[in-house]
Amino acid sequence: MPETPGDFDYEAALAACAAGDRQAMRRLYEHEGPRMLGVALRIVRQRALAEDIVHDACVNIWSRATGYDAARGSARGWIYSVVRHLALNAVRNARRHVDIDEETTHTLEADMSVQAFHDAASSFELNTSLGRLQHCLEALEPARRNCVLHAYVEGCSHGEIAERLGAPLGTVKAWIRRSLSSLRECMA
C-alpha cells in the first residue's frame, strides 16, 4: 500500500540525502515524483519540459539537501519550492527568448485570454489529494483564492494578476499577502 504524504518522513529523507544515501533519493522520487511532475506541468504546460524540471529538481534536492533548514519550513514545502522555482524560471526564460511583432502580440493576447479563462477554470479545480490545503483554500473568498492560485499554480506576477482581474496592483498584492497569512493560520 503506497504511503500517504502524512506517512512519509520528508525530513528524514532529506537528512539521508544530505548524508549521501542514494536510496533515500530514490524513495523520495518514487513517493513524490508524480506530484512534482504535476506542479511543474501546471506551470510550464509542456510535459517534456516539466519532466526535465523534475529531473533538475531531484538533482538540486540531492545536492542541496544539506541546506534544508527545518526552522524555515517543512521539508515537503522545501522540496516543492525547488520544483516551483525551477518551473517559474523556465517560464520566465522562455518569455525572454520569444520575439514577435506587435500585430501578432495583439492576436495572441486575444486568443490567450480566452484560452486562459478555460485553462484557469480547469487548473483551479481543487483536487481531493490536497487535503487540509484544499479546505483552507476553499475558506478564502473566491477572488483572493484565484489570486493565490494565479501566483502559485500558474506562476503569474502580481502585475499579470492585476491585469487579468482588472484590479489595482496594490489590491492584488494585499489580497495575496492576506490570503497567504490566512492559509498559514488555517494550516497551523
Side-chain angles (χ1 to χ4, degrees):
M1 184 158 143
E3 294 176 283
T4 63
D7 295 337
F8 191 82
D9 189 347
Y10 297 94
E11 286 191 24
L14 286 179
C17 286
D21 181 354
R22 293 180 188 269
Q23 292 303 313
M25 187 66 228
R26 183 186 58 76
R27 286 189 304 273
L28 179 64
Y29 175 76
E30 287 173 356
H31 185 71
E32 288 300 313
R35 285 180 284 273
M36 292 166 63
L37 180 61
V39 168
L41 192 55
R42 282 187 177 176
I43 294 171
V44 300
R45 301 194 187 285
Q46 296 175 25
R47 183 156 186 101
L49 180 56
E51 289 171 355
D52 288 344
I53 288 167
V54 170
H55 173 267
D56 292 347
C58 288
V59 170
N60 283 354
I61 290 165
W62 172 256
S63 64
R64 295 177 34 215
T66 56
Y68 165 69
D69 180 6
R72 297 185 70 200
S74 73
R76 188 169 191 238
W78 184 81
I79 290 165
Y80 281 95
S81 71
V82 171
V83 174
R84 183 177 169 277
H85 288 316
L86 287 171
L88 290 173
N89 285 342
V91 169
R92 287 182 191 118
N93 289 340
R95 286 181 186 161
R96 288 184 194 134
H97 297 291
V98 176
D99 294 325
I100 53 178
D101 65 351
E102 191 172 321
E103 182 180 4
T104 305
T105 301
H106 291 300
T107 304
L108 286 174
E109 286 175 350
D111 291 343
M112 287 173 58
S113 65
V114 171
Q115 184 62 37
F117 175 79
H118 294 293
D119 289 348
S122 64
S123 70
F124 289 174
E125 290 179 12
L126 298 175
N127 187 320
T128 56
S129 68
L130 291 175
R132 283 186 9 197
L133 180 59
Q134 177 183 359
H135 168 74
C136 295
L137 282 168
E138 288 173 347
L140 294 175
E141 179 183 314
R144 293 178 184 195
R145 178 178 56 238
N146 288 343
C147 283
V148 170
L149 293 173
H150 279 307
Y152 291 94
V153 173
E154 293 185 352
C156 295
S157 69
H158 291 150
E160 290 169 331
I161 297 167
E163 188 175 310
R164 283 183 180 190
L165 300 178
L169 179 61
T171 301
V172 167
K173 288 181 177 182
W175 283 351
I176 292 173
R177 186 176 52 251
R178 290 181 191 134
S179 296
L180 291 176
S181 177
S182 295
L183 288 173
R184 273 188 223 99
E185 287 176 21
C186 180
M187 294 292 289

